[in-house]
Amino acid sequence: MPIVALLGAALIGLFAVSWLLNRDALREAVEAQIRAVTGLDLVVSGDVDVSVFPGSYVSFHEVGLRGGGDIDPALSVDVLTANLRLLPLLMQRFEIADVMMLRPRIRVSRDAAGNSNWTPFIDNIARTMRPDADHPLSFSEIRIQDGVLDYLDPSNTERLDDIDLSLAWPSISRSFAATGQFDWRGERVDGSLSVSDFIAALSGDRSGLKARITSAPIKVAFDGTVANRASLMMEGTLTADSLSLRNAMRWIGQAPPGNGGFGRFALKARASLVGASVALTNVNVELDRNLAEGVMTYSNNGRQTLQATLAAGALDFTPYISTVRLLASGARDWNRQLFDLNTLSTTDLDMRLSAAKVTVGSSVLGRTALGANLRNGTLALSIGEAQMYGGIVRGSFGIAHSDAVADVKAQFQFTDVDLQATASDLFGIDKLTGRGNLGMALEASGSSPFGLAQSLDGTATLTGHDGAISGFNVEQLLKRLERRPLSGAGNFRSGSTPFSTLNMSVKFNDGIATADDIRIEGPAATLTLTGTASVPAREYDFKGVASLNSVANAPPGFDLPFVIQGPWDDPLIFPDPESLIRRSPGAAPLLDAVKDRKTRDAVRSVLDRFTGGTKPAAEADKPAVAPAATAPADAAKAN
């Protein structure tokens, strides 16, 4: 009974307090406390609900909070509810326990000088929270439900939707924490922020900071310190992790380069941020299973710039070139798809890479030092030295662009390389073996690989030794034709032609390669060639002479003119028929005879008598191609 009596008395007291409460004074006290904590003036346009029992709260509808003399409110709320502490309320003291904002709309704007409309709010918070402040903070939690934040500056606008946050306000300690979720660019983001000394952080002094952002595209965490005296400074450990860096870059509004690679990504480094620049030391980075370490610097002073010096045990560039196709799929023609050069204009890059092993498609390089520089849309790649194709490679490669047209320049020097691997990878030719040196200085301009092939200019030189040309055996062919010139070449598209030296010099002009002197010398035969090769059509048009080397005290060797025509990967190689006919004892007189008109007419008259046919006069006056063509067969029988 005493307990029941006590509860009844407390209940009657609550009703009495609720009845006798000065609601205007309560409202004014709540507004004053909110103004003291937030630094914003409370402007209420809607109704005000006051409740003492069973719940003690004051709800303001259609609230605007302005700061710094702004005409538009920096923060507007559909319903702002201040929950009151019950015991102080019974003693006619109005103290806020926590604040809940339903559907707040937050506006953050910055001008070109970096000034924000929230600067007065932050300054007032710093003054209010000082130990010697006249009005210490009275509540420790602010909750935001279903909020929207709009950020505006001269170059960017962003929006965060469906914000649900809980702010642990430092009323009894110096720390500040915020945890919650929000939607940004179609992704749900979980975030947390912890400041060890909120008063120091607001004043610009050094304070501990921990931040976590977790979303489907990427996870980022920072653990260190922050200060903001003259400019924002942060120092600590930065970690990032993403299943697809390409998707993460698109999510944050950064166009990823190319169409391949940029998948699994992980980063851990010591970060130092000053203003708009961040320096990363002790970097351990993983991208597409490539592991590297070194230092990196990123800045965004009007234009994004990335600098890096990294070292790795092994690098695989195959994912980044897998979508680059010089040739049309399943065809011998060059790819005519237009280049996408937009990504060259978004970021400046200065990177140096070194690796013990580098893989590029089917090519494997040994110890390699690479440099990449991208500035104002112009890309320059340099190879200081690379162990490639069993030799050493040095050179540079540059791409400049205007709209969709790419201007390409390449200079490379291959020293003592394996000619088979070099020719196969660079030119798609697999019929050359040996070792040698290759030098190239080429340039082209076009909007597609086919356009580059059409405009190719420059020079190329090749010197080789101790190798062979597969596909035919010149020595065997010449010896057979020397004995029986019209016996037919037989199956000469087999075997190989060894050489001790190979010298080639080629000039390119508008996609046509002109060779004035190609000389291949072997132990038994020598080949010399001249002619052209069409880069756009990928076809040969060469003429040459194959000669058997003469030995001491022997007649001169056998010489055979020949022609190489057709596609690069499967050209036609055939000897000069007139030369073979002239070397045949039985066919040479016939060839001389058909060149004489009287003899040709007499022979044709005899043939007509045997066949019973008479050729028209017009056809009879034509050069005797048919007899000349059939002469090798007849002469072969006579031979």
Side-chain angles (χ1 to χ4, degrees):
M1 291 300 294
I3 294 176
V4 172
L6 181 61
L7 292 176
L11 185 60
I12 293 173
L14 288 173
F15 278 109
V17 170
S18 177
W19 182 264
L20 300 175
L21 186 65
N22 187 337
R23 298 177 182 272
D24 292 336
L26 173 60
R27 169 180 171 175
E28 292 175 0
V30 170
E31 290 182 0
Q33 290 184 43
I34 293 176
R35 185 181 302 108
V37 172
T38 64
L40 299 178
D41 296 327
L42 197 67
V43 179
V44 181
S45 302
D47 299 333
V48 179
D49 299 330
V50 179
S51 174
V52 176
F53 185 81
S56 302
Y57 62 85
V58 178
S59 293
F60 301 91
H61 296 262
E62 299 181 16
V63 179
L65 293 95
R66 295 187 176 92
D70 286 349
I71 298 176
D72 297 329
L75 174 63
S76 59
V77 186
D78 284 356
V79 181
L80 187 150
T81 300
N83 294 310
L84 306 176
R85 292 187 175 95
L86 181 59
L87 291 180
L89 183 62
L90 295 177
M91 293 179 287
Q92 297 294 312
R93 294 205 314 265
F94 310 127
E95 295 182 8
I96 300 175
D98 58 72
V99 174
M100 197 277 286
M101 298 182 184
L102 179 62
R103 292 185 295 276
R105 295 175 296 279
I106 307 169
R107 184 180 62 87
V108 180
S109 62
R110 299 179 67 92
D111 57 22
N115 300 318
S116 171
N117 63 327
W118 282 80
T119 301
F121 160 71
I122 296 174
D123 293 341
N124 192 59
I125 286 290
R127 289 192 302 269
T128 304
M129 297 185 63
R130 289 199 306 267
D132 57 349
D134 297 334
H135 303 286
L137 296 178
S138 62
F139 55 89
S140 60
E141 184 179 7
I142 299 177
R143 288 174 292 158
I144 296 175
Q145 181 177 345
D146 197 16
V148 175
L149 186 148
D150 289 313
Y151 172 83
L152 303 92
D153 63 30
S155 60
N156 189 29
T157 60
E158 295 291 346
R159 165 166 282 204
L160 276 63
D161 297 306
D162 196 12
I163 302 174
D164 292 325
L165 288 179
S166 177
L167 310 180
W169 211 258
S171 61
I172 59 176
S173 66
R174 301 175 67 89
S175 64
F176 168 82
T179 59
Q181 299 177 330
F182 55 88
D183 289 341
W184 185 52
R185 297 184 177 180
E187 295 289 346
R188 193 63 175 170
V189 181
D190 290 328
S192 65
L193 178 70
S194 175
V195 180
S196 61
D197 192 336
F198 194 48
I199 300 175
L202 291 177
S203 302
D205 296 330
R206 183 179 294 272
S207 173
L209 174 67
K210 293 183 179 180
R212 303 286 188 275
I213 295 177
T214 302
S215 64
I218 193 170
K219 300 177 182 178
V220 180
F222 177 82
D223 189 350
T225 60
V226 61
N228 191 17
R229 279 296 185 184
S231 62
L232 179 63
M233 299 177 62
M234 298 174 64
E235 184 176 3
T237 301
L238 175 68
T239 59
D241 186 271
S242 175
L243 294 177
S244 173
L245 182 59
R246 180 173 296 276
N247 293 338
M249 294 176 68
R250 288 172 178 166
W251 182 56
I252 64 176
Q254 181 69 40
N259 296 313
F262 292 89
R264 180 75 172 87
F265 169 76
L267 171 71
K268 184 177 182 180
R270 185 70 181 176
S272 177
L273 182 146
V274 179
S277 300
V278 57
L280 303 179
T281 57
N282 299 328
V283 173
N284 288 276
V285 61
E286 176 187 354
L287 179 60
D288 297 319
R289 298 184 180 179
N290 293 317
L291 302 176
E293 57 184 23
V295 296
M296 302 175 69
T297 301
Y298 174 82
S299 61
N300 190 5
N301 297 315
R303 183 171 178 83
Q304 301 179 77
T305 302
L306 176 63
Q307 296 177 314
T309 300
L310 300 172
L315 293 175
D316 186 359
F317 290 114
T318 303
Y320 314 110
I321 66 169
S322 59
T323 58
V324 178
R325 301 186 182 277
L326 297 180
L327 297 178
S329 179
R332 295 175 176 174
D333 192 14
W334 294 95
N335 190 356
R336 298 173 185 255
Q337 185 176 356
L338 299 181
F339 293 127
D340 182 9
L341 304 174
N342 294 328
T343 55
L344 294 179
S345 303
T346 57
T347 304
D348 290 342
L349 176 69
D350 186 6
M351 181 176 291
R352 288 164 295 279
L353 295 173
S354 60
K357 177 183 177 182
V358 176
T359 303
V360 184
S362 59
S363 302
V364 178
L365 289 68
R367 187 169 299 279
T368 303
L370 301 173
N373 184 277
L374 175 61
R375 188 171 299 275
N376 297 324
T378 300
L379 175 64
L381 301 176
S382 61
I383 301 178
E385 183 173 291
Q387 298 174 352
M388 187 176 185
Y389 305 135
I392 300 297
V393 179
R394 299 180 179 88
S396 62
F397 179 82
I399 300 178
H401 77 94
S402 176
D403 295 330
V405 177
D407 298 322
V408 179
K409 293 184 178 181
Q411 290 184 338
F412 287 99
Q413 182 64 46
F414 299 79
T415 304
D416 194 26
V417 294
D418 183 347
L419 295 181
Q420 183 178 23
T422 305
S424 177
D425 279 359
L426 298 182
F427 310 108
I429 300 173
D430 56 0
K431 299 184 181 299
L432 183 63
T433 62
R435 303 192 67 84
N437 302 329
L438 172 64
M440 296 186 299
L442 305 173
E443 59 182 59
S445 179
S447 57
S448 67
F450 179 73
L452 294 179
Q454 284 184 311
S455 61
L456 186 63
D457 294 329
T459 59
T461 59
L462 173 64
T463 59
H465 61 88
D466 301 325
I469 301 175
S470 61
F472 62 98
N473 188 323
V474 171
E475 179 185 6
Q476 183 182 27
L477 173 64
L478 292 179
K479 288 182 178 180
R480 183 165 65 244
L481 294 179
E482 183 181 27
R483 294 191 304 269
R484 303 178 63 188
L486 299 182
S487 62
N491 184 20
F492 70 91
R493 293 171 66 92
S494 62
S496 62
T497 300
F499 63 82
S500 54
T501 61
L502 182 153
N503 293 280
M504 179 186 302
S505 179
V506 179
K507 292 183 178 180
F508 296 87
N509 185 20
D510 290 336
I512 302 299
T514 302
D516 295 328
D517 184 17
I518 299 176
R519 188 172 184 84
I520 305 171
E521 296 183 356
T526 299
L527 287 82
T528 59
L529 295 96
T530 60
T532 61
S534 174
V535 178
R538 296 173 55 82
E539 291 183 348
Y540 292 119
D541 187 8
F542 283 115
K543 294 181 180 179
V545 177
S547 304
L548 282 174
N549 296 337
S550 58
V551 296
N553 302 323
F558 175 58
D559 295 337
L560 175 65
F562 64 93
V563 176
I564 301 177
Q565 292 180 341
W568 288 0
D569 52 353
D570 189 21
L572 297 175
I573 305 174
F574 49 90
D576 178 48
E578 183 175 345
S579 175
L580 295 178
I581 293 174
R582 286 191 174 279
R583 297 191 63 87
S584 172
L590 179 59
L591 179 62
D592 294 334
V594 296
K595 286 186 176 181
D596 181 76
R597 182 178 182 86
K598 294 181 179 179
T599 306
R600 182 174 69 241
D601 292 344
V603 172
R604 177 165 294 173
S605 176
V606 173
L607 293 175
D608 290 343
R609 291 177 184 177
F610 278 107
T611 60
T614 302
K615 300 294 182 180
E619 187 175 350
D621 292 336
K622 292 183 180 179
V625 177
T630 58
D634 297 336
K637 296 178 181 179
N639 198 30

